[in-house]
Amino acid sequence: MSKPEKLIIDGKRLDGRGAQDLRPIKFKAGVLKRADGSCYLEFGGNKVIAAVYGPREVHPRHLQDASRAIVRYRYNMAPFSVEERKRPGPDRRSIEISKVSRESLECVILQEMYPRSAIDIFVEILQADAGTRVAGINAASVALADAGIPMKCLVSACAVGKVDDTLVLDLNKDEDNYGQADLPIAMTPSGDITLCQMDGHLTEDEFRTALEMAMEGCRYIHQLQKQALIEKYGQMVSPPAQEAPAAETAEVKEEIFKEDVEEFKEQEQQEQGGEANE
Ligand code: ADP
């Protein structure tokens, strides 16, 4: 598409969103049978699948770290994910995205628990529509949890940008192509930033506002990630046992104990009676 004259008309973006709106987001945890953990994510026009394998033994062995698990992250755009077929295989962009995405997640993974092992994260972009790196991180975070990898918390990510001199949340493809700035961030629920990149120019004030907008977006995405995990595991995890009031519990325990003692005594008597008869 050629550059539209305006990207914001009467306060609305070309896809109908307001400046602070995210695109529709849908997570599904545990979609691949053979991976240890996985997640499918639709994030606007992006369609992404993340798979996690591990912790498993590292090959080749010289890559092993005796004190912790190594984390590997491979971001890959399928040739059919963009309008013009993309040349398959890694390129500078995918190598950079793999590196920063790995770093954004590595810091929440309890790597020390699995020395000499590897945790492999694969992210496949099936359909790209701007914001694929943040979509990949969101899906990978859920896939790691689905794989049961011990983590301090989930990581959530989204981008903010500037188009027509206005800050907007979650750039779409045209906004990404023709906008003035793009600021993808990832963060933990407690607000620690684990990824912060920027294309283009923002003033210091704009940067602060943009960061706050992105953080608000991440907080919302975090709720959706948790929801996806609850949907998969909620009904499988047994609900917390209905705890009886403490006094009652103690009484019941005492009662059971007394019954056991009585039973034991009866058995003893029976056995002794039996021996006497013999
Ligand atoms: P992100 O997808 O994280 O926003 P970029 O800003 O590098 O990363 O890319 C923006 C968008 O540009 C991508 O989501 C994708 O839609 C498109 N794009 C990226 N690389 C290519 C490519 N090699 N061919 C066609 N489109 C691409």
Side-chain angles (χ1 to χ4, degrees):
M1 177 170 148
S2 57
K3 184 178 186 324
E5 222 169 276
K6 278 180 157 275
L7 288 162
I8 299 183
I9 302 169
D10 298 332
K12 290 263 176 229
R13 296 153 73 176
L14 295 188
D15 56 14
R17 283 184 291 157
Q20 315 258 0
D21 297 340
L22 288 163
R23 291 172 285 182
I25 299 172
K26 215 163 69 189
F27 285 95
K28 188 158 176 47
V31 289
L32 299 176
K33 256 193 196 165
R34 289 177 191 88
D36 293 316
S38 58
C39 175
Y40 172 68
L41 169 63
E42 289 183 5
F43 197 119
N46 294 303
K47 295 187 177 178
V48 175
I49 200 146
V52 169
Y53 295 86
R56 57 183 177 177
E57 205 180 335
V58 184
H59 290 291
R61 295 187 76 180
H62 70 85
L63 293 177
Q64 289 184 353
D65 183 331
S67 64
R68 51 175 44 213
I70 59 165
V71 177
R72 297 184 288 208
Y73 190 111
R74 198 200 66 174
Y75 164 102
N76 183 54
M77 266 173 87
F80 50 80
S81 66
V82 283
E83 263 169 47
E84 287 209 9
R85 177 184 175 276
K86 182 200 163 282
R87 230 183 116 147
D91 50 28
R92 282 170 64 98
R93 177 178 171 275
S94 67
I95 292 167
E96 175 224 312
I97 293 179
S98 299
K99 178 186 182 286
V100 296
S101 303
R102 171 176 56 74
E103 288 169 351
S104 78
L105 291 163
E106 213 172 23
C107 53
V108 301
I109 298 173
L110 301 179
Q111 293 164 271
E112 317 75 48
M113 290 182 70
Y114 301 101
R116 297 186 192 285
S117 57
I119 296 163
D120 285 307
I121 306 167
F122 295 90
V123 168
E124 289 291 317
I125 309 300
L126 305 174
Q127 189 171 288
D129 190 30
T132 56
R133 79 193 63 201
V134 290
I137 293 168
N138 287 321
S141 183
V142 173
L144 281 164
D146 183 45
I149 304 289
M151 293 191 286
K152 292 180 204 156
C153 53
L154 291 169
V155 170
S156 313
C158 76
V160 189
K162 185 175 163 186
V163 297
D164 291 356
D165 294 323
T166 308
L167 293 176
V168 293
L169 190 59
D170 181 25
L171 300 176
N172 64 32
K173 185 76 177 63
D174 293 329
E175 292 170 339
D176 188 295
N177 278 0
Y178 305 115
Q180 297 150 287
D182 180 11
L183 174 74
I185 77 148
M187 73 165 208
T188 66
S190 55
D192 290 331
I193 305 291
T194 65
L195 168 110
C196 182
Q197 295 187 289
M198 193 166 100
D199 266 351
H201 298 281
L202 293 176
T203 65
E204 207 177 312
D205 281 348
E206 282 172 340
F207 178 80
R208 279 182 218 288
T209 312
L211 196 58
E212 197 34 64
M213 281 169 74
M215 288 171 85
E216 193 52 45
C218 288
R219 284 190 271 273
Y220 177 72
I221 292 166
H222 179 238
Q223 295 305 319
L224 300 182
Q225 290 172 307
K226 278 200 302 190
Q227 193 55 43
L229 290 164
I230 289 168
E231 263 162 36
K232 184 173 174 205
Y233 292 104
Q235 55 278 53
M236 286 164 66
V237 176
S238 51
Q242 282 279 331
E243 278 198 4
E248 194 184 319
T249 310
E251 272 169 26
V252 170
K253 275 186 186 157
E254 202 180 317
E255 203 56 44
I256 293 170
F257 176 65
K258 276 183 192 162
E259 278 172 19
D260 284 353
V261 171
E262 286 306 314
E263 210 171 339
F264 176 70
K265 275 185 190 164
E266 269 173 30
Q267 268 178 12
E268 284 265 282
Q269 277 168 4
Q270 276 173 12
E271 276 171 23
Q272 277 169 11
E275 276 169 21
N277 286 342
E278 280 168 18

mmCIF file of all heavy atoms in Angstrom, residues 46 75 77 81-87 91 93 97 125 127-135 159 173 176-177 182 184 199, ligand 1:
data_model
loop_
_atom_site.group_PDB
_atom_site.id
_atom_site.type_symbol
_atom_site.label_atom_id
_atom_site.label_comp_id
_atom_site.label_asym_id
_atom_site.label_seq_id
_atom_site.Cartn_x
_atom_site.Cartn_y
_atom_site.Cartn_z
ATOM 1 N N ASN A 46 -1.193 -10.486 13.085
ATOM 2 C CA ASN A 46 -0.064 -11.409 13.300
ATOM 3 C C ASN A 46 -0.579 -12.774 13.747
ATOM 4 O O ASN A 46 -1.468 -12.847 14.595
ATOM 5 C CB ASN A 46 0.868 -10.881 14.400
ATOM 6 C CG ASN A 46 1.557 -9.602 14.001
ATOM 7 O OD1 ASN A 46 2.238 -9.556 12.985
ATOM 8 N ND2 ASN A 46 1.372 -8.553 14.784
ATOM 9 N N TYR A 75 13.757 -16.966 16.346
ATOM 10 C CA TYR A 75 12.627 -16.262 15.725
ATOM 11 C C TYR A 75 12.738 -16.502 14.225
ATOM 12 O O TYR A 75 13.799 -16.295 13.645
ATOM 13 C CB TYR A 75 12.747 -14.769 16.053
ATOM 14 C CG TYR A 75 11.912 -13.837 15.195
ATOM 15 C CD1 TYR A 75 10.727 -13.301 15.680
ATOM 16 C CD2 TYR A 75 12.327 -13.459 13.919
ATOM 17 C CE1 TYR A 75 9.973 -12.430 14.902
ATOM 18 C CE2 TYR A 75 11.578 -12.597 13.136
ATOM 19 C CZ TYR A 75 10.402 -12.080 13.644
ATOM 20 O OH TYR A 75 9.654 -11.210 12.881
ATOM 21 N N MET A 77 10.577 -15.960 10.428
ATOM 22 C CA MET A 77 9.414 -15.560 9.645
ATOM 23 C C MET A 77 9.235 -16.534 8.492
ATOM 24 O O MET A 77 10.165 -16.725 7.699
ATOM 25 C CB MET A 77 9.646 -14.152 9.076
ATOM 26 C CG MET A 77 9.062 -13.060 9.947
ATOM 27 S SD MET A 77 9.530 -11.443 9.344
ATOM 28 C CE MET A 77 8.252 -11.171 8.186
ATOM 29 N N SER A 81 4.667 -15.515 5.228
ATOM 30 C CA SER A 81 4.086 -14.667 6.280
ATOM 31 C C SER A 81 3.910 -13.214 5.850
ATOM 32 O O SER A 81 3.231 -12.444 6.513
ATOM 33 C CB SER A 81 4.979 -14.717 7.524
ATOM 34 O OG SER A 81 6.227 -14.128 7.228
ATOM 35 N N VAL A 82 4.560 -12.857 4.754
ATOM 36 C CA VAL A 82 4.487 -11.463 4.290
ATOM 37 C C VAL A 82 3.987 -11.442 2.843
ATOM 38 O O VAL A 82 3.935 -12.491 2.189
ATOM 39 C CB VAL A 82 5.882 -10.784 4.376
ATOM 40 C CG1 VAL A 82 6.202 -10.415 5.796
ATOM 41 C CG2 VAL A 82 6.967 -11.663 3.799
ATOM 42 N N GLU A 83 3.634 -10.252 2.360
ATOM 43 C CA GLU A 83 2.991 -10.175 1.046
ATOM 44 C C GLU A 83 3.857 -10.754 -0.063
ATOM 45 O O GLU A 83 3.409 -11.557 -0.859
ATOM 46 C CB GLU A 83 2.619 -8.733 0.732
ATOM 47 C CG GLU A 83 1.157 -8.460 1.080
ATOM 48 C CD GLU A 83 0.823 -6.995 1.032
ATOM 49 O OE1 GLU A 83 1.198 -6.336 0.045
ATOM 50 O OE2 GLU A 83 0.203 -6.507 1.994
ATOM 51 N N GLU A 84 5.119 -10.327 -0.106
ATOM 52 C CA GLU A 84 6.034 -10.905 -1.098
ATOM 53 C C GLU A 84 6.832 -11.986 -0.417
ATOM 54 O O GLU A 84 7.408 -11.731 0.644
ATOM 55 C CB GLU A 84 6.961 -9.817 -1.635
ATOM 56 C CG GLU A 84 6.208 -8.899 -2.545
ATOM 57 C CD GLU A 84 7.082 -8.283 -3.611
ATOM 58 O OE1 GLU A 84 8.251 -8.699 -3.762
ATOM 59 O OE2 GLU A 84 6.587 -7.382 -4.292
ATOM 60 N N ARG A 85 6.886 -13.161 -1.016
ATOM 61 C CA ARG A 85 7.566 -14.294 -0.391
ATOM 62 C C ARG A 85 8.917 -13.872 0.182
ATOM 63 O O ARG A 85 9.729 -13.258 -0.508
ATOM 64 C CB ARG A 85 7.760 -15.395 -1.440
ATOM 65 C CG ARG A 85 8.515 -16.585 -0.922
ATOM 66 C CD ARG A 85 8.738 -17.576 -2.050
ATOM 67 N NE ARG A 85 9.569 -18.678 -1.611
ATOM 68 C CZ ARG A 85 10.898 -18.652 -1.586
ATOM 69 N NH1 ARG A 85 11.530 -17.577 -1.962
ATOM 70 N NH2 ARG A 85 11.571 -19.708 -1.177
ATOM 71 N N LYS A 86 9.110 -14.233 1.458
ATOM 72 C CA LYS A 86 10.392 -13.899 2.097
ATOM 73 C C LYS A 86 11.358 -15.047 1.860
ATOM 74 O O LYS A 86 10.956 -16.208 1.909
ATOM 75 C CB LYS A 86 10.162 -13.697 3.597
ATOM 76 C CG LYS A 86 11.403 -13.291 4.352
ATOM 77 C CD LYS A 86 11.262 -13.576 5.838
ATOM 78 C CE LYS A 86 12.601 -13.562 6.539
ATOM 79 N NZ LYS A 86 13.399 -14.783 6.340
ATOM 80 N N ARG A 87 12.609 -14.692 1.613
ATOM 81 C CA ARG A 87 13.633 -15.740 1.457
ATOM 82 C C ARG A 87 13.737 -16.526 2.753
ATOM 83 O O ARG A 87 13.874 -15.923 3.815
ATOM 84 C CB ARG A 87 14.972 -15.067 1.199
ATOM 85 C CG ARG A 87 15.698 -15.631 0.014
ATOM 86 C CD ARG A 87 16.999 -14.937 -0.075
ATOM 87 N NE ARG A 87 18.040 -15.952 0.132
ATOM 88 C CZ ARG A 87 19.203 -15.885 -0.454
ATOM 89 N NH1 ARG A 87 19.489 -14.875 -1.227
ATOM 90 N NH2 ARG A 87 20.096 -16.825 -0.253
ATOM 91 N N ASP A 91 18.310 -14.165 8.769
ATOM 92 C CA ASP A 91 18.935 -12.973 8.199
ATOM 93 C C ASP A 91 19.299 -12.060 9.369
ATOM 94 O O ASP A 91 19.028 -12.400 10.519
ATOM 95 C CB ASP A 91 17.992 -12.279 7.202
ATOM 96 C CG ASP A 91 16.603 -12.064 7.781
ATOM 97 O OD1 ASP A 91 16.490 -11.940 9.013
ATOM 98 O OD2 ASP A 91 15.623 -12.036 7.020
ATOM 99 N N ARG A 93 18.018 -9.375 10.501
ATOM 100 C CA ARG A 93 16.873 -8.954 11.314
ATOM 101 C C ARG A 93 16.433 -10.063 12.272
ATOM 102 O O ARG A 93 16.223 -9.834 13.456
ATOM 103 C CB ARG A 93 15.724 -8.553 10.378
ATOM 104 C CG ARG A 93 14.452 -8.165 11.104
ATOM 105 C CD ARG A 93 13.358 -7.728 10.118
ATOM 106 N NE ARG A 93 12.106 -7.565 10.792
ATOM 107 C CZ ARG A 93 11.267 -8.551 11.026
ATOM 108 N NH1 ARG A 93 11.553 -9.780 10.626
ATOM 109 N NH2 ARG A 93 10.137 -8.324 11.665
ATOM 110 N N ILE A 97 16.407 -10.048 16.334
ATOM 111 C CA ILE A 97 15.160 -10.247 17.096
ATOM 112 C C ILE A 97 15.299 -11.460 18.018
ATOM 113 O O ILE A 97 14.851 -11.427 19.173
ATOM 114 C CB ILE A 97 13.947 -10.380 16.138
ATOM 115 C CG1 ILE A 97 13.723 -9.041 15.421
ATOM 116 C CG2 ILE A 97 12.697 -10.793 16.898
ATOM 117 C CD1 ILE A 97 12.577 -9.019 14.438
ATOM 118 N N ILE A 125 6.697 -17.099 12.820
ATOM 119 C CA ILE A 125 5.719 -16.092 12.415
ATOM 120 C C ILE A 125 5.019 -16.640 11.168
ATOM 121 O O ILE A 125 5.623 -16.752 10.103
ATOM 122 C CB ILE A 125 6.399 -14.731 12.102
ATOM 123 C CG1 ILE A 125 7.325 -14.306 13.255
ATOM 124 C CG2 ILE A 125 5.358 -13.660 11.782
ATOM 125 C CD1 ILE A 125 6.688 -14.116 14.591
ATOM 126 N N GLN A 127 2.067 -15.347 10.008
ATOM 127 C CA GLN A 127 1.527 -14.188 9.289
ATOM 128 C C GLN A 127 2.012 -12.934 10.007
ATOM 129 O O GLN A 127 1.876 -12.849 11.227
ATOM 130 C CB GLN A 127 -0.001 -14.266 9.301
ATOM 131 C CG GLN A 127 -0.683 -13.260 8.408
ATOM 132 C CD GLN A 127 -2.170 -13.551 8.301
ATOM 133 O OE1 GLN A 127 -2.588 -14.508 7.658
ATOM 134 N NE2 GLN A 127 -2.967 -12.726 8.949
ATOM 135 N N ALA A 128 2.597 -12.027 9.244
ATOM 136 C CA ALA A 128 3.212 -10.845 9.875
ATOM 137 C C ALA A 128 2.398 -9.592 9.569
ATOM 138 O O ALA A 128 1.942 -9.395 8.439
ATOM 139 C CB ALA A 128 4.639 -10.667 9.361
ATOM 140 N N ASP A 129 2.237 -8.766 10.598
ATOM 141 C CA ASP A 129 1.460 -7.543 10.411
ATOM 142 C C ASP A 129 1.963 -6.447 11.347
ATOM 143 O O ASP A 129 1.160 -5.741 11.971
ATOM 144 C CB ASP A 129 -0.020 -7.857 10.682
ATOM 145 C CG ASP A 129 -0.932 -6.716 10.286
ATOM 146 O OD1 ASP A 129 -0.592 -5.982 9.356
ATOM 147 O OD2 ASP A 129 -1.974 -6.553 10.931
ATOM 148 N N ALA A 130 3.274 -6.354 11.504
ATOM 149 C CA ALA A 130 3.933 -5.394 12.418
ATOM 150 C C ALA A 130 3.742 -5.799 13.876
ATOM 151 O O ALA A 130 2.660 -6.183 14.291
ATOM 152 C CB ALA A 130 3.430 -3.982 12.202
ATOM 153 N N GLY A 131 4.830 -5.717 14.615
ATOM 154 C CA GLY A 131 4.780 -6.108 16.033
ATOM 155 C C GLY A 131 5.006 -7.604 16.217
ATOM 156 O O GLY A 131 4.576 -8.190 17.213
ATOM 157 N N THR A 132 5.731 -8.227 15.274
ATOM 158 C CA THR A 132 5.918 -9.681 15.392
ATOM 159 C C THR A 132 6.862 -10.035 16.542
ATOM 160 O O THR A 132 6.717 -11.080 17.148
ATOM 161 C CB THR A 132 6.470 -10.281 14.088
ATOM 162 O OG1 THR A 132 7.678 -9.596 13.755
ATOM 163 C CG2 THR A 132 5.482 -10.160 12.950
ATOM 164 N N ARG A 133 7.845 -9.153 16.842
ATOM 165 C CA ARG A 133 8.776 -9.520 17.928
ATOM 166 C C ARG A 133 8.055 -9.525 19.265
ATOM 167 O O ARG A 133 8.271 -10.403 20.089
ATOM 168 C CB ARG A 133 10.011 -8.623 17.936
ATOM 169 C CG ARG A 133 9.841 -7.264 18.551
ATOM 170 C CD ARG A 133 10.992 -6.365 18.236
ATOM 171 N NE ARG A 133 11.086 -6.116 16.793
ATOM 172 C CZ ARG A 133 12.181 -5.712 16.166
ATOM 173 N NH1 ARG A 133 13.273 -5.482 16.853
ATOM 174 N NH2 ARG A 133 12.175 -5.506 14.877
ATOM 175 N N VAL A 134 7.150 -8.524 19.469
ATOM 176 C CA VAL A 134 6.439 -8.504 20.756
ATOM 177 C C VAL A 134 5.434 -9.649 20.816
ATOM 178 O O VAL A 134 5.246 -10.273 21.866
ATOM 179 C CB VAL A 134 5.776 -7.130 21.053
ATOM 180 C CG1 VAL A 134 6.821 -6.081 21.332
ATOM 181 C CG2 VAL A 134 4.818 -6.698 19.966
ATOM 182 N N ALA A 135 4.809 -9.959 19.671
ATOM 183 C CA ALA A 135 3.871 -11.091 19.637
ATOM 184 C C ALA A 135 4.633 -12.374 19.978
ATOM 185 O O ALA A 135 4.153 -13.210 20.762
ATOM 186 C CB ALA A 135 3.228 -11.195 18.257
ATOM 187 N N ALA A 159 4.166 -2.723 21.618
ATOM 188 C CA ALA A 159 4.893 -1.575 21.068
ATOM 189 C C ALA A 159 4.019 -0.319 21.130
ATOM 190 O O ALA A 159 2.793 -0.402 21.111
ATOM 191 C CB ALA A 159 5.285 -1.862 19.625
ATOM 192 N N LYS A 173 0.581 -2.384 10.417
ATOM 193 C CA LYS A 173 1.609 -2.417 9.371
ATOM 194 C C LYS A 173 1.856 -1.035 8.734
ATOM 195 O O LYS A 173 3.007 -0.610 8.580
ATOM 196 C CB LYS A 173 1.181 -3.446 8.309
ATOM 197 C CG LYS A 173 2.185 -3.691 7.229
ATOM 198 C CD LYS A 173 3.323 -4.561 7.730
ATOM 199 C CE LYS A 173 4.316 -4.890 6.659
ATOM 200 N NZ LYS A 173 5.010 -3.731 6.113
ATOM 201 N N ASP A 176 3.541 1.237 11.137
ATOM 202 C CA ASP A 176 4.942 0.842 11.288
ATOM 203 C C ASP A 176 5.756 1.357 10.092
ATOM 204 O O ASP A 176 6.834 1.914 10.243
ATOM 205 C CB ASP A 176 5.008 -0.685 11.397
ATOM 206 C CG ASP A 176 6.407 -1.175 11.744
ATOM 207 O OD1 ASP A 176 7.312 -0.993 10.919
ATOM 208 O OD2 ASP A 176 6.605 -1.722 12.840
ATOM 209 N N ASN A 177 5.185 1.190 8.890
ATOM 210 C CA ASN A 177 5.910 1.596 7.665
ATOM 211 C C ASN A 177 6.078 3.100 7.562
ATOM 212 O O ASN A 177 7.144 3.582 7.185
ATOM 213 C CB ASN A 177 5.136 1.137 6.422
ATOM 214 C CG ASN A 177 5.401 -0.309 6.103
ATOM 215 O OD1 ASN A 177 6.157 -0.965 6.812
ATOM 216 N ND2 ASN A 177 4.757 -0.814 5.062
ATOM 217 N N ASP A 182 8.860 3.929 16.603
ATOM 218 C CA ASP A 182 8.355 2.597 17.004
ATOM 219 C C ASP A 182 9.146 2.185 18.240
ATOM 220 O O ASP A 182 10.382 2.184 18.213
ATOM 221 C CB ASP A 182 8.597 1.622 15.834
ATOM 222 C CG ASP A 182 8.116 0.212 16.136
ATOM 223 O OD1 ASP A 182 7.421 0.018 17.151
ATOM 224 O OD2 ASP A 182 8.440 -0.707 15.342
ATOM 225 N N PRO A 184 9.138 -0.869 20.791
ATOM 226 C CA PRO A 184 8.670 -2.120 21.394
ATOM 227 C C PRO A 184 9.263 -2.309 22.783
ATOM 228 O O PRO A 184 10.459 -2.085 22.966
ATOM 229 C CB PRO A 184 9.189 -3.202 20.428
ATOM 230 C CG PRO A 184 10.277 -2.572 19.640
ATOM 231 C CD PRO A 184 10.212 -1.083 19.794
ATOM 232 N N ASP A 199 12.966 2.771 17.213
ATOM 233 C CA ASP A 199 13.240 3.261 15.855
ATOM 234 C C ASP A 199 12.677 4.656 15.777
ATOM 235 O O ASP A 199 11.595 4.897 16.319
ATOM 236 C CB ASP A 199 12.431 2.428 14.845
ATOM 237 C CG ASP A 199 13.226 1.282 14.288
ATOM 238 O OD1 ASP A 199 14.430 1.233 14.543
ATOM 239 O OD2 ASP A 199 12.602 0.437 13.610
HETATM 240 P P1 ADP B 1 8.223 -6.143 14.117
HETATM 241 O O1 ADP B 1 7.499 -7.191 13.320
HETATM 242 O O2 ADP B 1 8.667 -6.641 15.447
HETATM 243 O O3 ADP B 1 7.448 -4.858 14.199
HETATM 244 P P2 ADP B 1 9.936 -4.817 12.168
HETATM 245 O O4 ADP B 1 9.640 -3.427 12.616
HETATM 246 O O5 ADP B 1 11.317 -5.146 11.723
HETATM 247 O O6 ADP B 1 9.598 -5.846 13.344
HETATM 248 O O7 ADP B 1 8.960 -5.211 11.009
HETATM 249 C C1 ADP B 1 7.692 -4.648 10.862
HETATM 250 C C2 ADP B 1 6.873 -5.427 9.874
HETATM 251 O O8 ADP B 1 7.461 -5.334 8.590
HETATM 252 C C3 ADP B 1 6.810 -6.916 10.135
HETATM 253 O O9 ADP B 1 5.873 -7.251 11.157
HETATM 254 C C4 ADP B 1 6.401 -7.437 8.811
HETATM 255 O O10 ADP B 1 5.009 -7.273 8.619
HETATM 256 C C5 ADP B 1 7.169 -6.512 7.856
HETATM 257 N N1 ADP B 1 8.418 -7.150 7.418
HETATM 258 C C6 ADP B 1 9.518 -7.370 8.134
HETATM 259 N N2 ADP B 1 10.457 -8.014 7.411
HETATM 260 C C7 ADP B 1 9.919 -8.218 6.203
HETATM 261 C C8 ADP B 1 10.386 -8.837 4.999
HETATM 262 N N3 ADP B 1 11.596 -9.389 4.899
HETATM 263 N N4 ADP B 1 9.557 -8.844 3.946
HETATM 264 C C9 ADP B 1 8.339 -8.289 4.020
HETATM 265 N N5 ADP B 1 7.828 -7.687 5.114
HETATM 266 C C10 ADP B 1 8.611 -7.655 6.196
#
